[in-house]
């Protein structure tokens, strides 16, 4: 625990058990570390992630051996896919019992090998100071990620006089030395000068390396429009004229067109639908701190087809992995952008891409993100069951997010579950700062939103932290309402309750003739009831809660949620008939994008 204190740890999300009692006993003697008891280890690891994503510093969680440890696995995988620094400490059975099928034994080191940046099984108490120091160094530097420290019970019971190392030396690991050379960056500038339609495609790497300022300077100096990944949301202000917002499966039409070209739909003489390219996309794609995730690229061969791609990333293993590129450079993107800015000043780029930016603006105006009250909603079961046919009183999920944006002046930290609500939270709230939108992007873990909001709120008690959640996702870690109440963590949950696993239902509607395969979450014998009753559940945890059904009640109810200085659940009942658009079906191309014209 002293080793943790020396790393500046102020909070740990820890759930005890037989193999971690000693660690908890030591925690009772720490005056610097706040121990938060989640009500499920998954809540603990997601909270640690929320803390880490909000602050950039490693989040710390702890669990006992066996089931305690395995309950952390989803969060560790989540942190791995989204490059989030966390340190997960687990108790292990005594060394003499390892491999004997001891009570609550799992080989946690072995189990987590494919989903950690690094891991340790401690075999000597004297190693703890150095291991903890290394663990934080590895978790937080370079491309961040999760580190596991598994500590057998007998090691926890040993006595030692600790020797705390002052620094870390790791053979073969020195991410600070990874820098793109000026000569290579000059080549990138040559490419920019020769291009007509460049696009910056930037991701979580910009946020991790604190390069937002440098990115903005570079975009403004060069006049290059910027699209982000979902991990990169907030890396570039979404209200900036050069912002294309985010791209990919549910990204904006204009971001996807800017990268891969505009297609117009047409029907061939024999009746088959097709699409023709009517405008070119980027001829130069500057891929900075991204990894060409399939949710971004769709059919990867067609992504920015014909364009020159420059990929800069600190992790060499990402280069040419999903998408072969013309220029692949290893290095810290903060440093690279800083140097690019310096070099741009010296040679001042010849053009600011006026024609290209006019094209982009025209797209932004023609196909903005939008939604409307559809006939499907008007004639839906939801209308009949819950709204007595009062179409103007229906609350569309997009509206609720927009209103939250308005009432929080765009300044809240937003977390999400996974599903349609997550995409709407990304689309209809606009983000101006890094670390403002905390979402399980790579793994897509339902249940992430509320515990992550707790972690963010612990780190930033003065800020408004709102989990925009789905009814399915919220239910997956609903026990964390107890943590929120007992620990007085005033995070809010706004549940967009459509009584369905909405995103899966959307795929059923689009690709499986609307045949429902276990995607309804309500009570089939009483569909008029909203089930379960989140308000009653929240009250049983002594958490304030309210349900809204009609549009006329939404604003005041949301304001009450925001004004509360305690945890709060706002259950917003919305129709299930909405689909998230735009939508590029998995493995398809921009030509097949479904969107509102
Ligand atoms: C742990 C987990 N299980 C299953 C899924 C698959 N899945 C993705 S979205 C989704 C529906 C989520 O429903 P809800 O939280 O109500 O959000 P909605 O789409 O309705 O907004 C499911 C089941 C997942 N992402 N994570
Ligand atoms: Mg739902």
């Amino acid at each position: 625990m002293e080793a943790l204190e020396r790393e500046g740890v102020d909070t740990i999300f820890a759930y005890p058990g037989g193999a971690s009692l000693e660690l908890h006993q030591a925690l009772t003697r720490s005056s610097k570390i706040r121990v938060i008891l989640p009500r499920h280890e998954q809540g603990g690891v997601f909270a640690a992630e929320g803390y880490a994503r909000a602050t950039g510093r490693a989040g710390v969680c702890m669990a006992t051996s066996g089931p305690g440890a395995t309950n952390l696995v989803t969060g560790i995988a989540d942190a791995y896919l989204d490059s989030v620094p966390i340190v997960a400490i687990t108790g292990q059975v005594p060394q003499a019992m390892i491999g004997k099928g001891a009570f609550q034994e799992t080989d946690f080191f072995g189990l987590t090998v494919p989903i950690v940046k690094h891991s340790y099984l401690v075999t000597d108490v004297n190693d703890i100071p150095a291991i903890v120091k290394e663990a934080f160094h590895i978790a937080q530097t370079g491309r961040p990620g999760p580190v596991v420290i598994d500590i057998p019970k007998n090691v926890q019971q040993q006595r030692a006089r600790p020797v705390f190392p002052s620094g870390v030396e790791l053979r073969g690991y020195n991410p600070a030395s990874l820098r793109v050379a000026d000569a290579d960056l000059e080549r990138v500038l040559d490419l920019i000068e020769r291009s007509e339609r460049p696009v910056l495609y930037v991701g979580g790497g910009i946020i991790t390396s604190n390069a937002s300022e440098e990115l903005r300077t570079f975009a403004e100096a060069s006049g290059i429009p910027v699209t982000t990944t979902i991990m990169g949301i907030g890396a570039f202000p979404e209200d900036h004229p050069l912002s294309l917002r985010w791209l990919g499966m549910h990204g904006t039409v204009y971001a996807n067109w800017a990268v891969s070209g505009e297609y117009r739909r047409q029907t061939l003489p024999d009746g088959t639908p097709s699409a023709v390219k009517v405008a070119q996309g980027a001829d130069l794609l500057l891929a900075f701190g991204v990894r060409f995730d399939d949710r971004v690229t769709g059919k990867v061969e067609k992504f920015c087809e014909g364009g020159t791609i420059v990929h800069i990333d600190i992790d060499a293993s990402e280069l040419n992995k999903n998408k072969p590129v013309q220029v692949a450079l290893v290095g810290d993107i903060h440093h690279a952008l800083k140097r690019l800015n310096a070099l741009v000043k010296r040679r001042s780029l010849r053009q600011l891409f006026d024609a290209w930016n006019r094209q982009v603006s025209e797209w932004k105006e023609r196909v903005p993100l939008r939604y409307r009250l559809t006939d499907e909603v008007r004639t839906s079961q939801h209308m009949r069951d819950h709204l007595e046919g009062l179409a103007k009183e229906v609350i569309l999920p997009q509206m609720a997010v927009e209103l939250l944006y308005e009432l929080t002046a765009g300044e809240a930290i937003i977390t999400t579950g996974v599903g349609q609500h997550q995409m709407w939270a990304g689309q209809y709230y606009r983000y101006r700062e890094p670390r403002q939108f905390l979402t399980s992007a790579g793994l897509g873990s339902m249940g992430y939103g509320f515990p992550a909001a707790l972690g963010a709120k612990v780190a930033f008690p003065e800020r408004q932290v709102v989990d925009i959640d789905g009814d399915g996702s919220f239910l997956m870690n609903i026990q964390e309402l107890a943590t929120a109440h007992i620990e007085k963590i005033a995070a809010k949950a706004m549940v967009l309750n459509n009584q369905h696993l909405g995103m899966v239902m959307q795929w059923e509607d689009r690709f499986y003739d609307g045949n429902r395969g276990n995607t309804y979450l309500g009570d089939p014998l009483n569909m008029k009831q909203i089930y379960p009753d989140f308000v009653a559940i929240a009250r049983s945890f002594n958490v304030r809660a309210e349900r809204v059904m009609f549009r006329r009640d939404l604003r005041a109810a949301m304001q009450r949620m925001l004004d509360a200085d305690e945890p709060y659940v706002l259950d917003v009942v919305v129709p299930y008939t909405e689909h998230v658009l735009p939508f590029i079906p998995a493995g398809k191309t921009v030509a097949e994008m479904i969107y509102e014209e």
Side-chain angles (χ1 to χ4, degrees), residues 193-236:
E193 287 216 309
R194 268 184 271 134
S195 73
E196 283 172 11
R197 299 179 308 278
V199 169
L200 276 154
Y201 149 49
V202 304
I206 301 286
I207 296 176
T208 297
S209 66
N210 295 318
S212 295
E213 279 303 313
E214 285 72 14
L215 171 66
R216 189 180 171 149
T217 307
F218 181 66
E220 285 172 355
S222 59
I224 301 178
V226 183
T227 181
T228 77
T229 65
I230 288 183
M231 284 302 299
I233 285 177
F236 190 74

Side-chain angles (χ1 to χ4, degrees), residues 118-198:
H118 198 61
S119 50
Y120 300 90
L121 174 62
V122 183
T123 55
D124 182 343
V125 68
N126 292 298
D127 293 342
I128 283 179
I131 285 178
V132 169
K133 188 145 204 77
E134 269 181 37
F136 278 80
H137 176 66
I138 292 170
Q140 295 175 333
T141 54
R143 178 181 186 172
V147 176
V148 164
I149 308 178
D150 199 28
I151 315 179
K153 173 111 174 161
N154 65 302
V155 173
Q156 295 175 38
Q157 291 173 331
Q158 279 169 12
R159 282 179 176 276
R161 194 171 293 280
V163 181
F164 293 99
S166 53
V168 185
E169 262 308 318
L170 287 172
R171 192 157 43 93
Y173 180 78
N174 190 6
S177 70
L178 298 174
R179 303 199 147 179
V180 182
D182 276 6
D184 288 322
L185 295 173
E186 293 278 14
R187 259 171 66 219
V188 174
L189 292 176
D190 291 342
L191 287 171
I192 292 174
E193 287 216 309
R194 268 184 271 134
S195 73
E196 283 172 11
R197 299 179 308 278

Side-chain angles (χ1 to χ4, degrees), residues 42 46 74 397 417-424 440 443-447 469-476 495-506 518-519 521 574 576 580:
Q42 187 179 93
F46 284 161
T74 302
V418 170
Q420 293 181 313
H421 65 277
Q422 175 188 31
M423 297 298 111
W424 288 317
S440 169
L443 194 66
S445 323
M446 288 172 67
D469 221 331
D471 47 329
S473 296
F474 186 56
L475 198 56
M476 281 205 178
V495 181
L496 299 177
N497 188 348
N498 56 11
Q499 296 281 283
H500 280 76
L501 297 170
M503 188 55 98
V504 183
M505 179 203 67
Q506 173 166 344
N518 316 98
T519 46
L521 291 173
V574 298
Y576 63 88
V580 180

Side-chain angles (χ1 to χ4, degrees), residues 214-424:
E214 285 72 14
L215 171 66
R216 189 180 171 149
T217 307
F218 181 66
E220 285 172 355
S222 59
I224 301 178
V226 183
T227 181
T228 77
T229 65
I230 288 183
M231 284 302 299
I233 285 177
F236 190 74
E238 292 193 318
D239 53 3
H240 194 287
L242 287 168
S243 171
L244 298 168
R245 308 205 54 201
W246 46 282
L247 81 172
M249 183 177 276
H250 295 296
T252 60
V253 174
Y254 44 90
N256 287 316
W257 282 354
V259 171
S260 297
E262 177 185 352
Y263 286 79
R264 190 157 300 155
R265 278 171 281 193
Q266 54 168 219
T267 311
L268 297 180
D270 68 354
T272 43
S274 124
V276 276
K277 196 175 207 172
V278 294
Q280 296 294 326
D283 62 353
L284 176 65
L285 191 67
L286 302 169
F288 290 178
V290 293
R291 61 181 182 83
F292 295 87
D293 180 272
D294 55 86
R295 264 20 184 188
V296 163
T297 63
K299 189 177 177 147
V300 71
E301 307 82 54
K302 294 283 176 190
F303 180 73
C304 195
E305 196 184 24
T308 300
I309 303 181
V310 176
H311 189 188
I312 304 183
D313 202 274
I314 189 113
D315 183 353
S317 77
E318 288 297 347
L319 303 176
N320 292 313
K321 180 172 99 179
N322 292 343
K323 174 92 179 165
V325 300
Q326 286 75 14
V327 183
L329 302 167
V330 184
D332 172 29
I333 198 62
H334 186 133
H335 171 264
L337 278 165
K338 220 160 106 180
R339 290 306 305 153
L340 278 172
N341 286 329
L343 299 172
V344 162
K345 251 192 211 144
R346 239 182 280 156
R347 62 193 263 176
S348 70
L349 291 177
R350 266 184 289 109
Q351 49 165 330
L352 283 168
F353 308 108
D354 291 340
W356 176 228
N357 276 304
R358 271 197 303 279
Q359 164 75 86
V360 166
S361 306
E362 190 268 315
W363 282 334
K364 281 164 90 167
E365 249 170 59
R366 177 146 55 92
V367 277
L369 283 172
R370 61 180 149 211
Y371 61 89
R372 59 192 171 85
L373 193 58
T374 58
D375 286 340
E376 273 141 312
V377 171
R378 271 199 207 94
T379 58
S380 66
Q381 189 73 33
H382 173 82
M383 256 335 162
R384 291 193 292 279
D385 283 353
H386 308 303
L387 284 164
E388 301 127 26
L390 289 170
K392 70 174 190 345
E393 288 300 336
V394 70
I395 302 172
L396 296 179
Q398 300 93 324
M399 265 173 207
V401 176
E402 268 180 344
L403 185 59
L404 184 69
Y405 175 74
E406 182 196 324
L407 296 184
T408 56
E411 282 167 4
I413 294 176
I414 302 293
T415 70
T416 74
V418 170
Q420 293 181 313
H421 65 277
Q422 175 188 31
M423 297 298 111
W424 288 317

